[in-house]
Amino acid sequence: MPPVTTGMVVVFAVILLALLLFVTEPVPIDITAIALIVVLIVLEPWTTITPVEGLSGFASSATITVLAMFILSEGIRRTGVVEQLGDLVVDWTKDSPLKQLGAVVGISGGSAGFINNTPVVAVMIPMAIRIAKRTNSSPSTLLMPISFASMMGGTLTLIGTSTNILASDVWDRVGGAASQPFSMFEFTTVGLIVLAVGTVYLLTVGRYLTPERIKPQLNLTEEFEMAEYLTEVVVREESPLIDRTVRESLRTLDVDIDIVHLVRDGKTFGEPLARKELNEGDILLVRTDRETLMELIDTEGVDLLPQTTHHDADFETDAGTLIEVVVLPGTNLIGETLASLNFRGRYDATVLAIRRGSAVIRQRMDHTPLRGGDTLLLEATDEAIQRLVENRAFVVAQESEPTYRRSKTPLALGIVAAVVAVAGAGLLPIVVSALAGVVAMVLTGCLKPTEIYDAVDWNVIFLLAGVIPLGIAMEQTGAAEWLAALVVAGSTDFAPLLILGVFYLLTSLLTNLVSNNASVVLMIPVAFDVATTIGANAFAFVLAVTFAASTAFITPVGYQTNLMVYGPGGYRFSDFFRVGAPLQLLLAVVTTLSIGWIYGV
């Protein structure tokens, strides 16, 4: 065992603090990543990280390549390719649940090898809900498999996930003169095995383990159990609310209530309602609980409208339509509340309920911090829905008609194919071909220049920039070497293949708790040193870590795509463990044996 130095202790302390912040997220992960850079540079006497090395993550080829791939994926998304495939799926699968499952798994798994898996899942969510509604099935049975398949599909090529690209960069740095960045199809053989085995599992065992949390044919008011919370009232002649605006009335009432829409002289008014004055005889659809409703009737001069409620069916009026939208992880909405966002004023939509996994929040929502994966039940006008469809912070989980550039489909597909072909043939590094693809997307009109910045998940970019110098600190202080010596000392009697499997499991467990990118940066240097010490194929160990970090199934927070389907599927936290744990163990065995066989471990 090498001696423990002060530098090692400092780096280990920084790593533990970073992991704690990544797990608990008291602040957004991009802020944690920036703080990590600052801490490493400030503690340079012990971490050895100079300002140049601390900022090297922003100039890393991995960071730039990931940024370019987000933009290329957006170019594909803007053409509506996946939606067109979804329409074909609906026509082909008819009423066969097995065909539906096979089709969505095939599309998400296959496309995620060439398009970043986050936008793949974003466009697959409304497709799955549309299929479920048309075929009287539960969307819960499709959404989790879509997330799992997109993760497995991301292992097919270098550009499938940001994890692969970062792993390539780390391997190039730690592997010495004998190493070089991964080629485009470096691990496609193992990726195909993983996707094939995982698909069989999802279509057989996984199919019976995936729960139907959202029942078939439930309309949205029933699905969110809004029966006790949506009621129509009429304003009486002596009501103190008369001549007050809706904003003033809500402020004066100071109770948990929302006015969803207003009916006057047979005409229905939706958002924006804030400045509209209330008159005698106005009919208000309100969201509140029964106790508050009784208090309003006693003190505010309103009466229940006889035999009229909107909780028995989804309502669609001149004022708006009832829809679901999913808050995407990593957006600037995370941690904000409906009040701090001025949600009603900003989006011209009223939030009626928030579903977080299987839990539904219907009261005191204005001051509930939003989380990634939250599903909001909204009443919104057609114009507001269109704006939400175009907003990268949301996925509108219903049929919609965004403005796709279908005429650009061949161009966008051709550009991505050229990027893959040029990099795969070794004519240019992937970072150069990807940036060339970005330029081509704009020049051909597949993307507008203003759409480029919105296409990038900046949380991921800052996270990469923050964890890359952490990996450098592990190597330069000897922390990685010390951990490797500890592993070797405790596994002298074990075969290299078994140690390879242990690394896979450790990385997958770490990834289910923290970021997949952080797992790769922390584990690859240790895996490389262990393999070198025991005389095994170091590249095989690096691949095992990469595959494990790309496939985190057992928690909804383990991977961004899991969080995206958590709310729309109405899942419980334990559902991911029940379906994902057997798949995680199965792939641990399959991946370990495949890598061991191919690379001679």
Side-chain angles (χ1 to χ4, degrees), residues 508-530:
S508 64
L509 289 174
L510 183 61
T511 304
N512 277 288
L513 296 175
V514 301
S515 161
N516 49 327
N517 293 316
S519 299
V520 160
V521 168
L522 296 176
M523 294 298 293
I524 282 183
V526 180
F528 174 81
D529 286 342
V530 167

Side-chain angles (χ1 to χ4, degrees), residues 236-305:
R236 296 200 304 259
E237 179 181 2
E238 71 279 10
S239 172
L241 300 178
I242 292 175
D243 294 332
R244 290 180 183 169
T245 65
V246 169
R247 179 189 287 121
E248 291 169 343
S249 299
L250 291 175
R251 187 183 300 124
T252 303
L253 293 174
D254 194 29
V255 291
D256 184 32
I257 184 172
D258 267 322
I259 298 176
V260 181
H261 65 231
L262 178 154
V263 181
R264 178 180 297 162
D265 299 327
K267 186 176 181 180
T268 306
F269 300 91
E271 293 294 344
L273 284 174
R275 297 183 181 180
K276 188 165 286 294
E277 292 186 351
L278 298 178
N279 296 339
E280 175 191 350
D282 282 350
I283 299 171
L284 310 176
L285 176 65
V286 297
R287 178 209 56 81
T288 191
D289 58 68
R290 190 165 294 278
E291 279 186 25
T292 304
L293 182 61
M294 293 301 104
E295 182 182 336
L296 291 176
I297 291 172
D298 290 339
T299 63
E300 301 299 332
V302 298
D303 287 326
L304 284 174
L305 200 63

Side-chain angles (χ1 to χ4, degrees), residues 155-238:
T155 65
L156 292 174
T157 67
L158 173 63
I159 62 174
T161 70
S162 60
T163 312
N164 300 347
I165 297 170
L166 179 59
S168 173
D169 185 73
V170 176
W171 160 245
D172 186 37
R173 188 175 68 244
V174 305
S179 71
Q180 57 182 354
F182 298 161
S183 67
M184 179 62 68
F185 304 104
E186 189 77 58
F187 36 71
T188 300
T189 302
V190 181
L192 286 171
I193 295 172
V194 166
L195 182 58
V197 171
T199 298
V200 171
Y201 169 85
L202 292 175
L203 296 180
T204 54
V205 177
R207 180 186 172 196
Y208 296 102
L209 292 177
T210 307
E212 289 188 4
R213 293 299 179 200
I214 297 176
K215 301 302 178 185
Q217 282 291 22
L218 282 182
N219 59 57
L220 290 178
T221 45
E222 291 173 336
E223 187 180 311
F224 282 79
E225 299 175 354
M226 296 297 297
E228 300 298 323
Y229 293 88
L230 288 177
T231 311
E232 281 187 323
V233 297
V234 60
V235 180
R236 296 200 304 259
E237 179 181 2
E238 71 279 10

Side-chain angles (χ1 to χ4, degrees), residues 514-589:
V514 301
S515 161
N516 49 327
N517 293 316
S519 299
V520 160
V521 168
L522 296 176
M523 294 298 293
I524 282 183
V526 180
F528 174 81
D529 286 342
V530 167
T532 302
T533 303
I534 65 176
N537 186 324
F539 185 69
F541 275 68
V542 171
L543 279 190
V545 169
T546 304
F547 271 79
S550 296
T551 50
F553 306 114
I554 61 178
T555 68
V557 297
Y559 206 87
Q560 193 173 42
T561 57
N562 283 351
L563 202 54
M564 291 169 65
V565 301
Y566 182 47
Y571 298 115
R572 297 174 183 169
F573 203 92
S574 59
D575 292 337
F576 285 86
F577 184 84
R578 183 173 71 173
V579 183
L583 179 58
Q584 196 90 67
L585 291 173
L586 174 63
L587 291 185
V589 174

